[in-house]
Amino acid sequence: MANKKMSVSEMRSKKKESHGGGVARQAAGGELHQTAGGHHPALTTNQGVALSDNQNSLKANPRGPALLEDFILRDKITHFDHERIPERIVHARATGVHGFFELTSSLKKYTTARILTEVGEKTPVFTRISTVAGGAGSVDTPRDVRGFAVKFYTKEGNWDLVGNDIPVFFIQDAIKFPDLIHAVKMEPDRGFPQSATAHDTFWDFISLTPESMHMVMWIMSDRTLPRSLRMIEGFGIHSFRLINDSGESTFVKFHWRPKLGLQSTIWDETVKISGADQDFHRRDMFDAIAAGDFPEWEFAVQLFTQEEAERFPFDHLDATKLIPEELVPLKVIGRMVLDRWPNNFFAETEQVAYCPSHVVPGIDFSNDPLLQGRLFSYQDTQLSRLGSPNFHQIPINAPKCPFSNQQRDGHMQMEQPEGRVSYEPNSLSKNSPRESPVEGFHSAAISETGEKGRVRPESFADHYSQARQFYLSQTYYEQAHIASALVFELSKVDHLHVREAMVGHLRHIEEDLAKRVAAGLGFDKMPNAPRAASPVQEMKPSPALQIIGKMKDTLKGRAIGILIADGSDGALVKKIKKAATEAGAAVKIVAPKVGGAKLAGGSMMSADGQLAGTPSVLFDAVAIVLSDEGAKALSLESAAVDFVRDAFGHLKAIAADEGAQALLKTANIGHDAGVVSANDETAFIAAAKTRQWSREKSVRTLA
Ligand code: HDE
């Protein structure tokens, strides 16, 4: 069949068949083609020429050499060879989702920007949440900051709020950014580690950059280990300005607060998730959207005047500082709902081009020197990534309001402007675009004085006070996690002088923290603290900086796994499933075989996941329902023993029935308030809504 010669009419009838519906056909190469019914358009080259055969290249004879004239092969392979574009140097790995922003409270007093004044108006958005250090193919769950970039397609043009899930940054001045990124990325001689801060070059740079100490506290906290992208906050970081219709400006900081509350994982859990599901966060978002469980954030602002800013005990233009909520309260003004997964990952998530310089009339920049550098960098990056100054014409980047100007030509120009006039002002055209002196974009009328120079203001000199405030604001467990993360990371640093320098910095933040880390690193004497450029101020602890304090008492957005095997009690499984589902959790049945298990009554219960590929790190709490026989069999199965042992070690609630006790015993599970009877689903649901923090001391040594 494969080599049989066909007449032209035979070939034509074969071609017709391939466009028709619902038939299977044997291609010349022997592959079986199944069509799904319906009308299939002709498969063509990029020039629109229909292909008669997409399985075989043109050869001089059936076993002969390929022919250069095969334009179909070359068209296809050439395009394939150029499928990749340069990935982002930072924030390469990401999840992007469409949605909308809705204003609930007007800021008319402060700004002319319609998106912030028209209550009830829904503005489409595209939000991209990313890791920073790893490449596009890296895992979703390294210890890393998450980028939180939102493109608002407003009626007055696109506004990009390109922030992170941490409200401060490592450095104060844009000129240091390439060094920071070179230090954190894989080391250039060896090409690793991919996506990790736990290595010499990162900590070497940090130990020589005291301004990064506040951010170091944040990244060593569990903020960098989010449970879900739906459970992170977002921050615009820099101060921006709002400008009202009298031309007055007010400073503003932007915040996103997740409706599901904040939640993080535990380091050991994160490491195991990275192995169990490299796409853990992307999949979680995809599944949530597919289930109609749309993630939502509140949008809030902190507003303050120049005079108020002058009274702050720090400089708000310094991106290593935040404004505590206790000092300037958050005002919630809207919400964002993400409700539509992109049609195509490359066209949308990969090609979306955010630029902090994309603002709309009524929103303006502050003098933050980091922001000022960013205003240049992103446009430049897009030129290199997307290859053309016309990147704004790509559908995901194009404004959804009319836009028009006299810019022309360039690589991959998609527009065909008409007429003679391509300049402004002109008197030859009746309909060419003109300036809008009133509604058009105006910069805040700020006067600047002073001496030009490469200087850092004195007001940026305090590097430790807010780092100390952050640490002291945490709960006991969160402090222990920060100390342990520092020990873990610095233990991966080969150079002793770098480890010592870091502990020296910690002494300015909090002596007890420094001692814990020094002990964890096995130091026999405390290293000296470096000279501090400014005395450390004592600031009031701010509980809003915690994660535990911002967790919500809910199972919404959380997942529960029920482990079953042959002989399990089906009624009990159903009872637990019902209670968990009603509490808002997604429930998955895990069994040794994906086909399911034969329940006590003889009926089959199908499984959502096979035990070996569905470890308990993928759940927030687990229930184990087993017969005596089932428990006996699973006690010999390391995946089952790890399932319960990890759930216990990761401080999760465990419900177990009588039969399951044997497995718990093999896994050496202790008994505490989080280990409950599977028959008491109310107790299980209550315990599942939180982590069993008090258990932690019994399962690991923390610094
Ligand atoms: Fe970025 N950053 N950045 N950054 N950044 C990029 O732009 C840069 C900074 C942030 O989902 C790049 O389009 C400089 C702070 C996010 O596509 C690049 C400086 C914050 C994203 C770039 C900073 C961010 C980027 C790479 C110091 C938090 C991903 C690809 C002045 C407020 C956006 C791209 C997306 C991406 C440069 C500092 C957040 C190279 C020079 C501070 C969320 O242009």
Side-chain angles (χ1 to χ4, degrees):
M1 164 88 188
N3 295 339
K4 190 185 141 219
K5 276 194 184 149
M6 272 189 267
S7 70
V8 172
S9 65
E10 269 178 327
M11 283 192 280
R12 285 206 176 121
S13 72
K14 175 182 147 191
K15 188 168 156 185
K16 248 194 217 153
E17 203 180 77
S18 74
H19 300 159
V23 290
R25 79 175 169 86
Q26 195 86 14
E31 305 88 344
L32 193 67
H33 284 252
Q34 186 73 46
T35 57
H39 175 75
H40 297 276
L43 180 69
T44 74
T45 66
N46 284 329
Q47 302 305 314
V49 176
L51 267 60
S52 59
D53 183 338
N54 191 33
Q55 321 304 325
N56 302 289
S57 54
L58 186 64
K59 300 175 195 76
N61 63 59
R63 299 183 63 240
L67 295 179
L68 187 59
E69 74 172 69
D70 188 352
F71 67 94
I72 291 173
L73 174 71
R74 281 187 287 114
D75 182 82
K76 187 172 176 182
I77 298 285
T78 306
H79 196 278
F80 171 75
D81 291 346
H82 296 265
E83 263 177 18
R84 289 289 172 273
I85 60 173
E87 70 176 34
R88 292 164 173 81
I89 168 76
V90 281
H91 299 268
R93 168 91 193 163
T95 296
V97 193
H98 292 275
F100 65 86
F101 170 75
E102 183 181 8
L103 192 72
T104 51
S105 171
S106 171
L107 290 184
K108 207 173 180 72
K109 202 172 135 199
Y110 305 98
T111 180
T112 57
R114 281 190 56 179
I115 180 163
L116 301 179
T117 60
E118 306 297 302
V119 172
E121 189 157 300
K122 287 189 179 169
T123 303
V125 299
F126 187 73
T127 296
R128 187 175 180 276
I129 304 181
S130 45
T131 56
V132 179
S138 57
V139 297
D140 270 349
T141 43
R143 175 181 290 284
D144 202 353
V145 185
R146 299 302 186 282
F148 197 114
V150 182
K151 190 180 280 294
F152 300 83
Y153 302 92
T154 89
K155 289 185 172 155
E156 298 174 300
N158 286 354
W159 174 32
D160 294 351
L161 185 56
V162 197
N164 279 346
D165 74 334
I166 287 178
V168 290
F169 201 65
F170 291 99
I171 48 169
Q172 297 172 321
D173 191 307
I175 201 165
K176 299 182 82 161
F177 190 68
D179 298 297
L180 165 72
I181 298 306
H182 288 171
V184 69
K185 283 254 170 190
M186 56 192 187
E187 299 185 8
D189 58 344
R190 56 208 67 188
F192 60 82
Q194 170 72 259
S195 195
T197 45
H199 60 120
D200 283 64
T201 59
F202 176 74
W203 286 104
D204 183 29
F205 177 83
I206 291 296
S207 68
L208 297 169
T209 312
E211 72 206 54
S212 64
M213 290 307 144
H214 186 196
M215 180 75 168
V216 163
M217 288 295 103
W218 283 82
I219 62 166
M220 290 298 106
S221 81
D222 296 344
R223 289 260 177 178
T224 42
L225 315 174
R227 154 69 180 88
S228 158
L229 301 180
R230 301 179 284 150
M231 298 171 201
I232 61 172
E233 293 183 322
F235 303 92
I237 302 192
H238 316 279
S239 295
F240 288 84
R241 286 177 185 275
L242 297 180
I243 308 176
N244 68 13
D245 50 9
S246 312
E248 294 155 351
S249 82
T250 308
F251 286 116
V252 60
K253 293 251 188 195
F254 296 109
H255 297 246
W256 296 106
R257 295 202 305 201
K259 210 174 157 198
L260 293 176
L262 280 188
Q263 193 174 321
S264 288
T265 52
I266 285 169
W267 175 242
D268 181 69
E269 185 186 3
T270 311
V271 170
K272 289 173 176 163
I273 290 172
S274 296
D277 185 358
Q278 308 213 336
D279 309 296
F280 185 64
H281 285 150
R282 193 180 284 176
R283 192 189 309 278
D284 168 81
M285 184 70 93
F286 182 90
D287 288 348
I289 306 262
D293 196 3
F294 302 136
E296 184 171 334
W297 283 261
E298 282 177 345
F299 190 53
V301 290
Q302 284 177 300
L303 298 164
F304 54 99
T305 61
Q306 177 75 44
E307 294 69 41
E308 284 165 330
E310 277 158 17
R311 291 198 294 273
F312 295 161
F314 47 83
D315 193 331
H316 74 103
L317 296 182
D318 169 359
T320 68
K321 306 294 186 301
L322 53 80
I323 305 180
E325 288 182 29
E326 291 76 8
L327 190 60
V328 179
L330 262 61
K331 182 178 160 61
V332 177
I333 60 159
R335 66 185 190 120
M336 173 172 73
V337 178
L338 299 184
D339 59 2
R340 184 163 64 85
W341 193 259
N343 290 328
N344 184 273
F345 187 88
F346 178 84
E348 299 168 89
T349 308
E350 193 59 18
Q351 291 201 117
V352 63
Y354 296 94
C355 298
S357 55
H358 293 168
V359 289
V360 292
I363 302 178
D364 199 4
F365 316 112
S366 71
N367 284 353
D368 175 340
L370 196 64
L371 173 62
Q372 293 283 324
R374 296 180 74 204
L375 299 181
F376 158 74
S377 173
Y378 290 64
Q379 182 98 2
D380 186 42
T381 288
Q382 311 315 343
L383 290 177
S384 128
R385 292 192 62 240
L386 299 165
S388 154
N390 295 315
F391 68 84
H392 62 281
Q393 295 177 7
I394 298 173
I396 192 71
N397 294 322
K400 296 195 193 297
C401 64
F403 60 103
S404 174
N405 57 42
Q406 307 290 11
Q407 293 166 17
R408 287 291 184 273
D409 310 342
H411 246 296
M412 292 300 191
Q413 174 60 255
M414 298 293 150
E415 285 170 3
Q416 296 182 39
E418 287 173 12
R420 224 173 147 173
V421 167
S422 57
Y423 54 89
E424 197 276 341
N426 72 73
S427 63
L428 302 189
S429 160
K430 290 202 167 35
N431 55 6
S432 64
R434 297 279 164 96
E435 299 157 338
S436 311
V438 180
E439 311 88 63
F441 180 82
H442 288 277
S443 297
I446 306 298
S447 57
E448 299 289 355
T449 54
E451 213 172 89
K452 171 173 159 188
R454 293 186 181 279
V455 283
R456 197 76 63 94
E458 263 308 302
S459 54
F460 281 32
D462 178 356
H463 303 320
Y464 300 107
S465 304
Q466 286 206 352
R468 177 174 172 76
Q469 180 189 35
F470 179 80
Y471 181 72
L472 294 179
S473 301
Q474 305 302 310
T475 60
Y476 169 85
Y477 301 105
E478 288 169 296
Q479 287 186 344
H481 290 182
I482 293 173
S484 301
L486 280 158
V487 171
F488 176 92
E489 297 261 321
L490 294 173
S491 297
K492 296 261 181 188
V493 171
D494 293 336
H495 292 82
L496 179 61
H497 74 273
V498 174
R499 288 185 229 148
E500 287 174 341
M502 272 316 301
V503 175
H505 286 295
L506 298 180
R507 298 190 68 179
H508 284 306
I509 297 172
E510 166 47 35
E511 187 66 23
D512 180 54
L513 170 65
K515 280 194 186 136
R516 290 164 83 163
V517 176
L521 292 171
F523 285 180
D524 48 15
K525 79 179 200 325
M526 286 300 275
N528 291 332
R531 194 186 66 80
S534 171
V536 183
Q537 309 176 59
E538 206 56 56
M539 305 180 84
K540 257 198 172 155
S542 166
L545 304 178
Q546 294 171 8
I547 302 169
I548 291 184
K550 283 185 165 173
M551 273 180 76
K552 287 208 172 149
D553 193 21
T554 177
L555 276 184
K556 287 213 176 80
R558 275 70 178 179
I560 286 188
I562 308 180
L563 178 60
I564 61 165
D566 286 348
S568 290
D569 176 350
L572 184 57
V573 174
K574 282 187 192 137
K575 200 164 88 156
I576 299 170
K577 185 170 177 176
K578 184 166 176 277
T581 310
E582 279 170 10
V587 179
K588 280 199 175 156
I589 304 292
V590 182
K593 292 182 186 164
V594 75
K598 200 178 214 177
L599 300 172
S603 63
M604 283 299 288
M605 179 174 274
S606 61
D608 303 298
Q610 184 229 359
L611 175 58
T614 319
S616 65
V617 290
L618 303 179
F619 305 110
D620 296 281
V622 296
I624 324 288
V625 180
L626 298 173
S627 63
D628 291 346
E629 280 306 300
K632 213 162 137 197
L634 288 192
S635 294
L636 301 171
E637 201 62 72
S638 67
V641 178
D642 288 347
F643 192 92
V644 274
R645 190 179 282 157
D646 276 345
F648 192 75
H650 301 148
L651 318 183
K652 295 170 183 174
I654 301 176
D657 69 349
E658 268 309 301
Q661 298 303 326
L663 179 62
L664 263 59
K665 203 160 168 227
T666 311
N668 206 14
I669 299 303
H671 278 274
D672 63 22
V675 182
V676 300
S677 158
N679 290 305
D680 189 350
E681 72 273 16
T682 314
F684 176 54
I685 298 301
K689 286 182 179 171
T690 179
R691 295 284 170 115
Q692 314 301 312
W693 301 111
S694 56
R695 185 191 293 162
E696 187 148 42
K697 276 193 202 146
S698 70
V699 291
R700 73 179 59 86
T701 309
L702 289 167

